[in-house]
Amino acid sequence: MTNTSTGIMESWFIIMVTFCISFFLILLFNLFFQKTKKLPPGPFIFPVIGMLPLLRKTSRDLELMLRDFKRKYGPIIAIKIGYSSPSIVISSHLLAHQALVQQGAICSDRPIASTTSKIFNSNQRTITSSSYGPTWRLLRRNLISEMLHPSHIIKSHSKNRAWVLGILIQKLLLAHESAAADSATEAIMLLDHFKYAIFCLLVLICFGNKLDEFQIRQIKDAQHRALKSFHRFRILDYFPEFLGKTIFRKRWKQLIELRKELDEVFIPLIQDRVKYKLEAVGAPKPGIDHRHKEEELEADIAYVDTLVNLELPEEKRKLNYQEMASLCGEFLAAASDTTSTALQWIMACLVKYPSIQEKLYKEICQVVESTPLLQSIKNNKVIEEAVKEDDLQKMPYLKAVILEGLRRHPPAHFVLPHRVTEDMELNGYVIPKNATINFMVGEMGLDPNVWDDPMEFKPERFLVDGDGTLQEFDITGSREIKMMPFGAGRRICPGYGSAMLHLQYFVANLIWQFEWKPVEGDKVDLTEGSDFTVTMKNPLRARISPRCCMGSL
């Protein structure tokens, strides 16, 4: 027994020594190899030991750390973690354009997905996670052409937006009545109302059905739990999969259960939609004109409908239900929190700066001929008297307010990381193959070399001086990058046009329907906090006053 134990200990000792020697040989080899290339400057972080403190930091802490590195090392930083490929962080507009646009073909891949990520993205079969190749092109092209084409965004979902706007205004009115009973503040907490409305709209676009509030919150809660819990599983990614499953058995089991919970919410909705479309088409009956019905079905297209017949080009098969669930989850997650966060920031600035709010209201009144009819929201009916999508094109100051909100308070301060597929030169440095690159979006919008008084909220910076017309400004960054709230280049957010439309639509209607004022004795606090997005540390509270008689609810 003793000899056996001794033999086992000796075997483990030999394995550990071999592992350590191999590790340091690889480390020395890579350090020597990297010294032959002129990498960007930056701190060296030792593997394992140096990584452990980083795992405990919030995204806000990491951003502050990177700001310190920027001051010390400049606008392009290489963070070298032992023998791994360096992580490059860029805070320069010019360098971002060179990387994402001028050398976009080299800089458009994604890092190889971690073990935990593959569980949620069905082994990299979502748009954000897919490698730069045929599958990514198929999924992205499908989303843009079938769902996010400008004509489709405006026309196909106009009634959906009006329905959701009715829900939002009804909730605000009820909250206003409730707050009015509290004469001390009359304050309304707004973020939850914004989140619910945006999520309602996206669920409707995704699944094609008007779900009840219980179902909406069930989807929202399941997805929120997954997003909030994701950081708990990051430790699994720093070990080989078999070792992580052994050491962290309970955590691995929780990860699988969380994915199962998402599937149990999404897959029945997908199956119901598929069944509905099949039954709606039905078999043609003689003597009946089906053209009108077919036109209605084409107009009533949901994201799920576009996924059913997609065929993965590299595998020559259709998507399974779990993969469709991952894509639906991505659709909701990518747009819900970011849009509602941006909406809160913009409305907070309009509350904080009443002169800007008043100027915007006057512009809306010049375009919209009718007056707000808040009584039309009884029983969640579609609001007929609202600022329409066509009206938005006639409001340059509205768009300037939205652009300034995205510059000053982008909902994400970093884009998703990119991976370099071959050695790339940038600013005299070599970015080696397989290095990851990220971009400090928040810093770019505050660069004093690009923006005058960058800390001030001034929508007029996007207007032609003395004219009131909108300056030509490319939010995609294809010509030049001044700010990139949606990213830039080939991996730019495919929903940027939809997000701009929804922000303009909801801001215009909220300002048209209500006057927004700060809570007495409580200044609007624009301090940033950190959640899934960069939200307000102290969520917006405000007093609202209907701009006309609202009738009886």
Side-chain angles (χ1 to χ4, degrees):
M1 184 72 178
T2 303
N3 291 336
T4 303
S5 300
T6 303
I8 293 173
M9 291 177 66
E10 288 177 351
S11 299
W12 272 108
F13 178 76
I14 293 170
I15 291 171
M16 292 303 295
V17 169
T18 304
F19 175 80
C20 291
I21 292 173
S22 301
F23 174 83
F24 280 106
L25 286 175
I26 294 171
L27 174 62
L28 290 172
F29 174 79
N30 280 276
L31 288 176
F32 176 78
F33 179 71
Q34 288 181 1
K35 281 183 178 179
T36 64
K37 302 179 179 182
K38 189 181 178 183
L39 293 175
F44 176 83
I45 299 176
F46 200 83
V48 184
I49 297 172
M51 282 296 298
L52 290 177
L54 297 182
L55 289 175
R56 301 183 64 182
K57 288 183 179 292
T58 65
S59 57
R60 182 65 177 163
D61 293 334
L62 291 173
E63 183 177 8
L64 294 174
M65 181 183 74
L66 289 172
R67 285 181 183 176
D68 290 338
F69 290 161
K70 175 191 171 185
R71 285 190 286 269
K72 184 175 180 180
Y73 298 108
I76 179 170
I77 306 162
I79 300 177
K80 300 177 285 293
I81 302 174
Y83 61 87
S84 64
S85 298
S87 296
I88 310 299
V89 182
I90 292 173
S91 58
S92 160
H93 306 75
L94 179 62
L95 296 181
H97 189 266
Q98 290 176 10
L100 293 173
V101 179
Q102 296 175 8
Q103 302 190 68
I106 302 174
C107 193
S108 294
D109 208 354
R110 288 283 188 237
I112 297 172
S114 64
T115 301
T116 53
S117 295
K118 287 180 180 179
I119 298 296
F120 288 106
N121 60 39
S122 295
N123 199 23
Q124 291 189 270
R125 292 188 183 88
T126 61
I127 301 170
T128 52
S129 68
S130 290
S131 299
Y132 186 64
T135 296
W136 172 77
R137 291 189 186 93
L138 172 75
L139 297 176
R140 184 182 174 91
R141 184 171 60 245
N142 171 72
L143 177 62
I144 293 175
S145 62
E146 298 294 336
M147 297 303 301
L148 301 181
H149 189 275
S151 61
H152 189 84
I153 294 171
I154 294 172
K155 294 178 182 178
S156 297
H157 296 293
S158 179
K159 289 185 178 180
N160 294 340
R161 274 186 290 273
W163 176 71
V164 170
L165 177 64
I167 292 175
L168 175 58
I169 290 178
Q170 184 181 53
K171 286 186 173 294
L172 291 176
L173 283 172
L174 292 173
H176 168 70
E177 286 190 344
S178 177
D182 182 4
S183 57
T185 63
E186 295 186 14
I188 298 176
M189 296 292 293
L190 294 159
L191 181 57
D192 285 345
H193 296 306
F194 292 163
K195 282 186 174 183
Y196 180 76
I198 297 297
F199 205 77
C200 267
L201 177 59
L202 293 171
V203 167
L204 181 53
I205 294 172
C206 184
F207 298 108
N209 300 320
K210 291 180 179 178
L211 305 181
D212 59 38
E213 186 164 346
F214 174 78
Q215 291 173 299
I216 295 287
R217 294 203 179 277
Q218 185 184 33
I219 299 169
K220 188 173 178 294
D221 291 346
Q223 190 147 34
H224 190 69
R225 279 195 298 274
L227 291 171
K228 291 288 284 185
S229 301
F230 194 75
H231 73 280
R232 294 184 58 247
F233 305 112
R234 287 171 60 191
I235 190 68
L236 297 171
D237 297 330
Y238 293 95
F239 295 88
E241 185 174 334
F242 75 93
L243 191 59
K245 287 181 177 179
T246 302
I247 299 174
F248 303 100
R249 291 188 301 275
K250 289 184 178 179
R251 197 163 296 192
W252 182 263
K253 184 180 178 181
Q254 291 170 352
L255 174 66
I256 301 302
E257 288 176 349
L258 195 57
R259 172 67 214 228
K260 184 180 178 182
E261 180 184 346
L262 289 171
D263 288 340
E264 288 172 348
V265 171
F266 283 111
I267 290 178
L269 294 171
I270 296 170
Q271 292 172 330
D272 287 347
R273 179 65 182 183
V274 172
K275 182 180 178 182
Y276 162 77
K277 292 294 276 190
L278 290 173
E279 292 176 349
V281 174
K285 295 180 181 179
I288 298 177
D289 186 358
H290 289 267
R291 285 175 298 177
H292 181 65
K293 185 176 182 180
E294 289 173 358
E295 288 173 1
E296 284 185 345
L297 287 172
E298 286 181 7
D300 180 35
I301 189 169
Y303 185 43
V304 168
D305 304 336
T306 72
L307 302 177
V308 173
N309 293 316
L310 281 186
E311 185 176 280
L312 295 173
E314 296 168 301
E315 301 174 62
K316 305 299 181 185
R317 65 170 179 84
K318 293 184 178 180
L319 296 166
N320 60 43
Y321 279 125
Q322 191 175 62
E323 289 163 344
M324 284 192 273
S326 294
L327 285 162
C328 289
E330 174 190 51
F331 180 84
L332 297 176
S336 58
D337 274 13
T338 51
T339 306
S340 57
T341 296
L343 181 58
Q344 180 185 218
W345 278 116
I346 293 166
M347 293 305 298
C349 290
L350 292 173
V351 173
K352 188 176 181 68
Y353 305 109
S355 60
I356 296 176
Q357 181 183 163
E358 183 63 21
K359 185 175 180 178
L360 176 57
Y361 178 64
K362 287 179 179 178
E363 178 183 69
I364 296 170
C365 290
Q366 290 172 357
V367 173
V368 181
E369 295 179 356
S370 56
T371 57
L373 295 176
L374 292 180
Q375 61 267 36
S376 65
I377 56 89
K378 286 192 297 183
N379 301 319
N380 284 352
K381 289 182 180 178
V382 170
I383 291 185
E384 298 297 339
E385 302 297 336
V387 182
K388 302 292 196 303
E389 288 84 354
D390 290 342
D391 298 328
L392 303 177
Q393 307 306 315
K394 306 168 189 175
M395 301 179 187
Y397 192 66
L398 168 65
K399 188 167 184 180
V401 167
I402 303 303
L403 289 171
E404 179 68 347
L406 292 173
R407 179 201 69 83
R408 184 63 185 83
H409 300 287
H413 281 194
F414 295 90
V415 298
L416 292 173
H418 293 235
R419 183 170 70 94
V420 177
T421 53
E422 59 184 73
D423 285 3
M424 179 176 75
E425 185 175 340
L426 204 60
N427 201 37
Y429 299 108
V430 174
I431 313 301
K433 179 180 178 180
N434 292 326
T436 59
I437 300 187
N438 213 315
F439 302 86
M440 298 184 73
V441 173
E443 288 291 287
M444 292 181 193
L446 302 178
D447 188 343
N449 296 317
V450 177
W451 304 98
D452 294 331
D453 300 322
M455 302 304 292
E456 297 299 317
F457 188 82
K458 296 196 302 185
E460 288 76 12
R461 71 174 81 243
F462 290 97
L463 301 176
V464 177
D465 291 340
D467 188 348
T469 59
L470 198 68
Q471 289 184 16
E472 186 178 355
F473 185 81
D474 181 18
I475 193 68
T476 68
S478 57
R479 294 190 297 272
E480 64 172 339
I481 292 175
K482 290 187 175 180
M483 66 180 194
M484 44 183 284
F486 301 105
R490 304 183 187 202
R491 286 278 188 171
I492 188 174
C493 172
Y496 72 86
S498 176
M500 289 294 294
L501 172 65
H502 291 154
L503 288 172
Q504 291 176 78
Y505 179 81
F506 283 106
V507 168
N509 277 288
L510 290 173
I511 294 299
W512 190 57
Q513 299 279 4
F514 300 102
E515 182 179 6
W516 298 72
K517 298 178 181 178
V519 177
E520 188 127 3
D522 185 9
K523 293 183 179 179
V524 177
D525 183 3
L526 298 181
T527 304
E528 294 174 343
S530 180
D531 193 6
F532 177 62
T533 55
V534 181
T535 188
M536 296 178 69
K537 184 176 181 180
N538 298 304
L540 176 62
R541 299 192 312 149
R543 294 181 297 148
I544 62 173
S545 302
R547 293 192 187 269
C548 70
C549 177
M550 63 182 173
S552 60
L553 291 175

